[in-house]
Amino acid sequence: MAADYSGKATCIALTLRKTETMDETYDMVIIGGGPAGYVAALRGRQLGLSVVLMDKERIGGVCLNRGCIPTKAILSDMEGVLWTRRAVREQILDREPIVDFARVMHRKNTVVEKMVSNLERHLTATGVRTLKARAKVLDQGVVATDQGDSIRGNNVLIASGSRSWTPPIQGADSPGVVGTRQVLDLDRIPERLVIIGGGMIGQEFAAIFSSMGCRVTVLETLDRILNPVDKEIARKYMSLLPGRGITTHVGARVERIEKVRDGLRIVYEKKSKESIAEADLVLMATGRRPFFEDSGIAESGIELDKGAIRVDPFLRTSVEGIYAAGDVVGKNMLAHVASYHGEIVAENIAGRNREAHDDLVPACVFTMPQIAWVGLTEEQAVESGRPFRTSTFSLAANGKAMAMGEARGWLKLIEDTETGRLIGAHFMGPSVSELVAEMTLAIRKGMSAADIADTIHPHPTISEALREAALGLLDGPVHAASRTKTFKGT
């Protein structure tokens, strides 16, 4: 995660044909320079469209500038720190590491700067014109910028992203209460950090700061952390947190934040009792909402659906010639979905009729260990009423995980017993984010456990445990027992 995930990416990518002058009517105007916008621009160039890309900030959106990439740079450093601490415990090294926070932040900034610069050069090299400006839809096919330009386009793509959302908590605007934008611009490690929100963003930051030696407390309103994650996997992950210096309170509704002499006091209610957490810094990690204010949505008559832009399977809005992609659609607010949407819009504007199939989306939480999943959770499978079986395989029986010293992990597969098809995959362990694409393809193509088991997986790798989990739905794993469950359906 990165600095305030509240990035209000109000940009425009425009597709030009024969001229670079702003007086022309362009093929496509894209509001938003994040993954949906810049991918649409690049794909448009591949298809023979000319492109102008505008953003009020730097190209790349929240993900590249203030989200996915900067936090992964820091997490990579912290994984090294955790390895070093294990090496000290096992007397491989003779001293504990000392984290130079300034250098960590410097490397994070260097990684981001390099990636953004490379993207800007790539856009220029492919013939995309980039402008730094705010944009607003004035009328069908007409977009205005805050620099006084009026730009015409045959098609408009709104890809203005999302912004962080803060619940109405008294004192949420107090000094020392920060969002995800500000937390990645800190100049020192807080001794005590309270994170309000136990979802994906909150857990990633908890992993980052606890590994730096910070005492972290997570306050989650719901009765569990990581609500989108399979409940069993989330429970197993939560059991690891005390050993990482992370205190977690679920069912905790924050009432107010007070400034006190030595920091901040967070007052919350849990089980009808008032409790207090103390901190030097409070991070609001309470989720994100589609952002399209000031982009002319209301004036253009575009229909909304529960605070997001309504689109059809081709990502067309209710107004002819205007498309929407990425977080503003509000369905799966993930960078890889936004990129996928951007490609589809560019292809449809170029004359290809391509529908978005975004009902099966892999997701990852870059904690330590990582969590990744795709398809139905066990709870969703129960709610569907279908008969199914699960197989869970422990990484304690996986050679690579043991060699890495990271054997506390599990891989879980869910199979529809009527069809024999896999319908869900849920992982927790080292580098499991690299496994989920295989299972996304398998589920999308209607594959079975036998298909996975009949595929040779390389040794020694974590992926071998995936094959063992699949064997658990057949005759059983070779190297250890798996745990299986059967649900007969309703």
Side-chain angles (χ1 to χ4, degrees):
M1 311 283 131
D4 194 5
Y5 276 66
S6 67
K8 302 176 183 178
T10 328
C11 338
I12 287 191
L14 302 119
T15 313
L16 303 96
R17 273 224 156 100
K18 299 179 180 177
T19 174
E20 293 293 314
T21 68
M22 302 303 288
D23 297 329
E24 298 294 323
T25 297
Y26 307 114
D27 300 321
M28 179 171 61
V29 178
I30 310 169
I31 301 178
Y38 74 72
V39 170
L42 291 170
R43 182 62 177 138
R45 289 296 299 135
Q46 286 181 332
L47 297 172
L49 306 173
S50 50
V51 179
V52 175
L53 180 61
M54 297 197 302
D55 196 318
K56 74 181 184 65
E57 297 182 306
R58 292 195 74 178
I59 298 300
V62 171
C63 179
L64 184 48
N65 289 281
R66 304 179 303 279
C68 318
I69 299 305
T71 50
K72 302 316 164 287
I74 296 175
L75 278 165
S76 178
D77 291 340
M78 293 307 102
E79 286 172 352
V81 169
L82 292 182
W83 178 89
T84 305
R85 287 175 182 157
R86 178 178 66 80
V88 170
R89 290 195 303 270
E90 297 178 358
Q91 300 182 340
I92 297 169
L93 299 177
D94 63 357
R95 67 189 65 185
E96 284 280 340
I98 298 174
V99 176
D100 187 328
F101 187 66
R103 295 301 302 173
V104 170
M105 300 302 274
H106 174 74
R107 195 184 83 85
K108 176 262 297 183
N109 293 335
T110 300
V111 169
V112 172
E113 174 62 30
K114 184 174 183 178
M115 291 195 66
V116 174
S117 296
N118 287 346
L119 176 59
E120 290 173 340
R121 285 194 291 271
H122 183 47
L123 288 164
T124 300
T126 55
V128 177
R129 179 173 182 178
T130 58
L131 298 173
K132 189 173 183 178
R134 295 176 182 268
K136 180 177 182 179
V137 178
L138 291 183
D139 199 352
Q140 182 176 341
V142 180
V143 175
T145 75
D146 59 352
Q147 299 176 355
D149 295 310
S150 181
I151 304 166
R152 295 185 177 276
N154 293 324
N155 299 279
V156 175
L157 168 59
I158 300 171
S160 47
S162 61
R163 65 178 176 183
S164 60
W165 173 80
T166 301
I169 297 173
Q170 180 182 339
D173 58 350
S174 302
V177 180
V178 299
T180 47
R181 173 188 290 264
Q182 295 86 7
V183 78
L184 288 188
D185 289 330
L186 296 177
D187 56 9
R188 64 181 178 84
I189 304 171
E191 292 185 10
R192 303 167 299 169
L193 172 67
V194 167
I195 300 175
I196 300 178
M200 296 167 66
I201 296 174
Q203 290 302 325
E204 288 193 16
F205 276 110
I208 287 174
F209 283 97
S210 65
S211 61
M212 294 179 180
C214 177
R215 299 199 304 274
V216 177
T217 300
V218 177
L219 302 176
E220 170 56 54
T221 303
L222 300 178
D223 61 359
R224 53 170 292 192
I225 62 170
L226 295 170
N227 193 49
V229 175
D230 182 88
K231 191 173 184 178
E232 181 181 22
I233 296 295
R235 177 176 54 79
K236 289 179 181 294
Y237 178 74
M238 186 171 171
S239 71
L240 304 179
L241 297 181
R244 297 286 171 84
I246 301 172
T247 301
T248 306
H249 296 286
V250 296
R253 184 175 62 85
V254 178
E255 296 181 338
R256 61 186 182 277
I257 302 171
E258 302 171 344
K259 184 71 176 176
V260 294
R261 178 182 298 179
D262 60 346
L264 295 162
R265 178 187 292 125
I266 301 87
V267 181
Y268 63 95
E269 182 185 280
K270 182 177 181 179
K271 295 182 178 179
S272 301
K273 292 183 180 180
E274 188 173 273
S275 299
I276 292 174
E278 296 181 339
D280 303 303
L281 190 75
V282 174
L283 170 62
M284 302 298 297
T286 47
R288 301 186 62 77
R289 298 290 185 272
F291 175 77
F292 41 76
E293 287 86 343
D294 305 323
S295 58
I297 299 298
E299 296 87 342
S300 63
I302 293 174
E303 293 181 6
L304 303 181
D305 181 17
K306 298 178 181 179
I309 298 177
R310 182 193 298 274
V311 293
D312 68 8
F314 298 92
L315 300 177
R316 298 174 299 204
T317 71
S318 58
V319 176
E320 184 178 357
I322 300 182
Y323 296 75
D327 286 6
V328 291
V329 175
K331 186 175 179 181
N332 290 294
M333 297 170 67
L334 298 167
H336 43 285
V337 175
S339 298
Y340 173 74
H341 282 178
E343 289 184 10
I344 289 172
V345 170
E347 291 182 16
N348 286 335
I349 289 175
R352 303 184 180 186
N353 293 320
R354 182 181 173 190
E355 295 187 18
H357 299 288
D358 53 8
D359 54 341
L360 183 68
V361 174
C364 306
V365 189
F366 292 92
T367 43
M368 294 180 280
Q370 295 178 1
I371 298 170
W373 73 96
V374 65
L376 297 184
T377 64
E378 185 173 335
E379 301 76 59
Q380 291 168 337
V382 169
E383 291 172 3
S384 73
R386 73 183 71 197
F388 68 90
R389 290 191 303 158
T390 69
S391 169
T392 303
F393 186 82
S394 172
L395 290 182
N398 177 262
K400 179 64 178 294
M402 288 291 290
M404 295 172 68
E406 298 185 45
R408 295 194 68 181
W410 294 266
L411 276 66
K412 177 179 181 179
L413 298 181
I414 305 176
E415 173 195 67
D416 185 317
T417 52
E418 279 191 346
T419 65
R421 293 182 173 184
L422 294 167
I423 57 174
H426 307 273
F427 311 143
M428 185 183 92
S431 303
V432 293
S433 59
E434 304 296 340
L435 301 182
V436 73
E438 175 182 343
M439 290 311 303
T440 303
L441 179 61
I443 294 174
R444 184 182 178 196
K445 294 300 183 181
M447 292 183 181
S448 66
D451 292 321
I452 302 299
D454 197 40
T455 301
I456 297 175
H457 288 70
H459 174 77
T461 64
I462 302 297
S463 70
E464 289 178 287
L466 179 57
R467 181 174 182 272
E468 297 278 4
L471 286 169
L473 293 169
L474 301 169
D475 295 329
V478 173
H479 293 90
S482 68
R483 184 171 54 81
T484 60
K485 290 193 297 183
T486 300
F487 183 78
K488 294 183 178 180
T490 57

